[in-house]
Amino acid sequence: MPVQAGAAMGRKFPRRGFFLIFIPFLSAFSQKSTALPDPGKIPTLAHRYQTEKQSFEFWYGGWTLYLKSVVMKKCNPTPKTRLFLVMVIFSLSSFRVHASIRISTSSIIAHSRSMEKNRQASAEAEAKKAEMRMIVATASSIYDEMDLEDSGLSRKAFMYAWTGYYKLKKKGLLRKTNILSICDFSQSSSNQRLYVIDVRNRRMLYRTFVAHGINSGEEYATSFSNQMESCKSSLGFYVTTGTYTGINGISLRINGVDQGFNNNALKRAVVIHGAGYVSKRILKKYGVMGTTFGCPAIPTEMTTQIIPVVKNGSCWFIYYPSKKYLSQSRVLNS
């Protein structure tokens, strides 16, 4: 009777023994890592296959050990039960291998794309730095060659003017690329602070007086606005357009291209025109130059000389060392 009981027990596979076969499988799952390798060390699929092969061998070793264990000897499962268990383990291991390969492949592709984007961003950043170095070097060369410091134009004003001129030219917004006009409003209105420069031949064409808006200040312009009816000057870059004849004689329209700083210039009717109150006579009589409703007015006698030269697509720049403008100008910081 004891023998028969033992035989009967051997024909039934206990649940406790059945659970043990999954220990290697669960152990292998616990070794799974989702961390990506360092750049330049992305594993190939062949390497991943070797890893999975080792894991499978580990499972197989665990299965063999189980078969030879004391529990297995006591349980003594039937051949059908053994075959069923082998099929279960093989199916689970096969599923894990294929799932891991799919996950690994998608991770490699995503990582490669991320690395490519980073490389492109780095290359673009380096290209911009190189371009800025070239802009600064060219501006410094022109500034020193033309002795612009002796004329009262600050190096910073010319550097910013040249940077914006270069970028507008690069975008194709300038039709007349040999002319750069700079109103240096960091200077007193009693100075000849308008500079019309032939950048192609590197020579000063005109230097004369230029007025600022009445609400921007008296001798010095310190406050600027893009608002309608502010009667203030507007900082930034302009592109000259066409001329017309009005109450101030020949006048030149200018289109503000610095969004948020001077883009309302045409609506505000900010134009370049001549004015009798912008002259040495007024300066000598009152000790201060006249002001405008926001227009960069020049001496009347200079209009027939300057306007024909700068009209139809040249760069006109009104400068002041405003931290807000210099840091937020879309032209300078594009």
Side-chain angles (χ1 to χ4, degrees), residues 259-279:
Q259 188 69 28
F261 290 97
N262 64 15
N263 58 294
N264 287 329
L266 291 177
K267 294 180 180 179
R268 294 177 59 201
V270 174
V271 299
I272 301 170
H273 63 80
Y277 48 81
V278 184
S279 65

Side-chain angles (χ1 to χ4, degrees), residues 8 26-27 43 50 55 121 145 196 206 223 237 243-244 251 275 291 323:
L26 295 175
S27 176
Q50 291 297 328
S55 298
E145 182 180 331
V196 181
Y206 302 101
S223 180
F237 289 89
T243 61
Y244 70 96
S251 303
T291 54
K323 292 182 180 179

Side-chain angles (χ1 to χ4, degrees), residues 284-308:
K284 184 177 181 180
K285 183 176 181 179
Y286 298 103
V288 65
M289 194 65 69
T291 54
T292 69
F293 291 141
C295 298
I298 60 179
T300 302
E301 64 273 14
M302 297 297 296
T303 55
T304 55
Q305 300 176 55
I306 293 178
I307 288 179

Side-chain angles (χ1 to χ4, degrees), residues 162-209:
W162 182 261
T163 301
Y165 158 83
Y166 174 87
K167 293 186 176 182
L168 292 178
K169 178 183 176 182
K170 185 178 179 180
K171 292 179 179 179
L173 297 179
L174 302 178
R175 293 170 55 193
K176 189 176 288 186
T177 58
N178 62 314
I179 301 297
L180 172 58
S181 304
I182 306 171
C183 300
D184 186 0
F185 279 180
S186 66
Q187 300 183 40
S188 166
S189 60
S190 61
N191 293 348
Q192 292 183 328
R193 53 184 180 169
L194 171 61
Y195 305 84
V196 181
I197 302 172
D198 180 352
V199 293
R200 183 174 299 166
N201 298 305
R202 300 193 176 188
R203 65 190 184 95
M204 184 78 69
L205 298 180
Y206 302 101
R207 181 189 173 194
T208 188
F209 300 103

Side-chain angles (χ1 to χ4, degrees), residues 5-222:
M9 177 181 280
R11 286 192 298 270
K12 293 184 179 180
F13 186 73
R15 295 180 181 179
R16 192 182 312 171
F18 180 78
F19 174 76
L20 290 176
I21 67 169
F22 291 98
I23 293 178
F25 183 76
L26 295 175
S27 176
F29 259 105
S30 67
Q31 297 175 358
K32 183 179 178 182
S33 175
T34 57
L36 287 174
D38 293 334
K41 297 183 180 180
I42 300 176
T44 61
L45 290 179
H47 177 71
R48 296 292 300 181
Y49 173 76
Q50 291 297 328
T51 302
E52 300 300 340
K53 183 173 179 293
Q54 292 175 3
S55 298
F56 183 77
E57 290 173 351
F58 173 77
W59 299 334
Y60 179 77
W63 165 248
T64 304
L65 180 64
Y66 173 76
L67 287 177
K68 295 180 181 180
S69 67
V70 177
V71 176
M72 193 66 183
K73 289 180 179 179
K74 289 184 178 181
C75 295
N76 191 24
T78 63
K80 291 183 179 180
T81 304
R82 293 185 183 185
L83 178 62
F84 172 75
L85 294 177
V86 170
M87 292 178 63
V88 169
I89 293 178
F90 181 78
S91 299
L92 292 175
S93 63
S94 177
F95 171 78
R96 182 180 182 277
V97 169
H98 290 294
S100 179
I101 291 177
R102 285 196 299 270
I103 294 173
S104 301
T105 304
S106 61
S107 299
I108 291 172
I109 294 174
H111 189 66
S112 299
R113 288 176 178 174
S114 177
M115 290 295 296
E116 183 63 26
K117 288 182 180 179
N118 291 338
R119 282 194 291 269
Q120 291 178 356
S122 178
E124 290 177 0
E126 288 299 322
K128 289 181 180 179
K129 289 180 180 179
E131 185 179 39
M132 283 305 302
R133 288 194 294 268
M134 182 269 293
I135 292 173
V136 171
T138 304
S140 296
S141 174
I142 296 174
Y143 186 85
D144 294 334
E145 182 180 331
M146 294 182 61
D147 295 322
L148 293 176
E149 186 176 4
D150 294 339
S151 66
L153 180 62
S154 70
R155 183 179 291 271
K156 283 187 177 181
F158 184 75
M159 289 290 185
Y160 286 120
W162 182 261
T163 301
Y165 158 83
Y166 174 87
K167 293 186 176 182
L168 292 178
K169 178 183 176 182
K170 185 178 179 180
K171 292 179 179 179
L173 297 179
L174 302 178
R175 293 170 55 193
K176 189 176 288 186
T177 58
N178 62 314
I179 301 297
L180 172 58
S181 304
I182 306 171
C183 300
D184 186 0
F185 279 180
S186 66
Q187 300 183 40
S188 166
S189 60
S190 61
N191 293 348
Q192 292 183 328
R193 53 184 180 169
L194 171 61
Y195 305 84
V196 181
I197 302 172
D198 180 352
V199 293
R200 183 174 299 166
N201 298 305
R202 300 193 176 188
R203 65 190 184 95
M204 184 78 69
L205 298 180
Y206 302 101
R207 181 189 173 194
T208 188
F209 300 103
V210 59
H212 55 255
I214 188 172
N215 288 337
S216 287
E218 294 185 8
E219 181 182 356
Y220 287 90
T222 57

